[in-house]
Amino acid sequence: QQERSRLPLYFVRAETDGSHSASQLANGRAFENLIICAKNAMSAAKNLGKHIALDVVFVDFSLEDVSDDAVDYRNGMLAIFDEISSKFTEIGLGAPRFFTFFECGVLDYLPSSVLEGQWELSWNHAQHDLVIVAPSYMLMHDTDARLTPRGRKLRAAMSAEAIFAMQRSRGWAPPVLHLAECEGLELRITAQCEGGLVLDQTDPFGAGDHWGFALEGVDPSVSITKVAIAKDDQKALVLTLNAPLTGPQPVLCYAANQASSNEGFKENVGALWDDFEPAMHHDLSAEDLSLLRRWALPARLPIK
């Protein structure tokens, strides 16, 4: 607009169905309708002498999967990516870049298969170009777990940030915690992220004193006393324990066993992000703009 050039026409389409598993979704009515719509768009563009540039395909399917199997979920999602890529290439659109949000769920309803399935997909998505925009805990939900108007604005703004970054080959990856090692009273967490890690002192989602970190499978007497960024590595954290780690199956959780203290929808939350700086979004308040961060993805790590 500043260059007085013609603005592009954006065409957006959403398809849904009642699939109960990712494998069903790959062969369901939503997929069929999406392909019909894509063919119609290509036909319209041809008749108008226009070219279609495919920006992104969002796939929003996680808690809807009731298969209770993390591998089946991942394989089902890969089948969806395979089918869409194949059909889109066949009609001339080419294989798309897929985007999704990481669904965190609530403390009393987050099947381990859903969390593990998304985790598997985040690093094992075969040949497909998959971008995880952000964890869902950064979005506001009502008591029925639906996005509020404020949550929808934040989702749109964060999606725009991720799309803009990928279009300009800057890369986009929220922090992923992938290794937890304990020595004495120190639990060191190694992360994969683009910028240095930041523990948000304002704790906007009500994660509590430990910024969303919690222990599972340990003796009740063992607890976290301090969380800090490692002094020798801005992409690692050090958690201090009150006693040596003991228990049958020690697991470190982040945004997976720590419900928000805020009222309303009790979502699993955290307060860790990397130092990405968002662009200005004139339709957002200063408070909402401060929430546009690359928040770390949920994790459940066996402690070594």
Side-chain angles (χ1 to χ4, degrees), residues 165-246:
M166 295 303 295
Q167 284 177 337
R168 282 150 181 79
S169 302
R170 295 177 184 171
W172 184 271
V176 175
L177 309 178
H178 61 83
L179 182 63
E181 300 174 294
C182 190
E183 183 174 348
L185 299 181
E186 287 193 346
L187 180 57
R188 188 179 180 91
I189 315 303
T190 303
Q192 182 177 358
C193 50
E194 295 189 24
L197 293 174
V198 177
L199 290 166
D200 197 315
Q201 301 298 320
T202 66
D203 188 18
F205 311 119
D209 294 338
H210 301 146
W211 283 277
F213 287 96
L215 297 172
E216 276 186 9
V218 302
D219 290 341
S221 60
V222 180
S223 62
I224 299 169
T225 61
K226 182 181 178 181
V227 180
I229 307 300
K231 294 180 180 179
D232 60 341
D233 186 354
Q234 289 297 303
K235 297 184 179 182
L237 302 107
V238 175
L239 279 60
T240 305
L241 307 179
N242 69 328
L245 189 68
T246 54

Side-chain angles (χ1 to χ4, degrees), residues 16-30 60-70 72-74 76-77 80 109 111 113-114:
T16 62
D17 65 23
S19 296
H20 293 158
S21 68
S23 58
Q24 288 182 8
L25 186 65
N27 299 289
R29 172 57 66 180
D60 184 11
F61 193 85
S62 52
L63 292 180
E64 296 84 358
D65 189 293
V66 294
S67 64
D68 199 31
D69 190 304
D72 282 354
Y73 171 80
R74 182 203 63 202
M77 294 295 282
I80 294 169
Y109 182 71
S113 60
V114 172

Side-chain angles (χ1 to χ4, degrees), residues 80-103:
I80 294 169
F81 300 160
D82 287 341
E83 290 294 327
I84 293 176
S85 296
S86 175
K87 291 295 184 182
F88 275 24
T89 299
E90 185 179 304
I91 64 178
L93 279 171
R97 174 175 287 140
F98 295 97
F99 279 56
T100 189
F101 277 74
F102 197 113
E103 178 59 58

Side-chain angles (χ1 to χ4, degrees), residues 241-274:
L241 307 179
N242 69 328
L245 189 68
T246 54
Q249 292 181 314
V251 173
L252 176 73
C253 300
Y254 170 76
N257 192 11
Q258 183 69 34
S260 170
S261 60
N262 296 340
E263 294 298 322
F265 180 52
K266 294 294 186 179
E267 189 166 25
N268 293 292
V269 298
L272 175 69
W273 43 273
D274 73 358

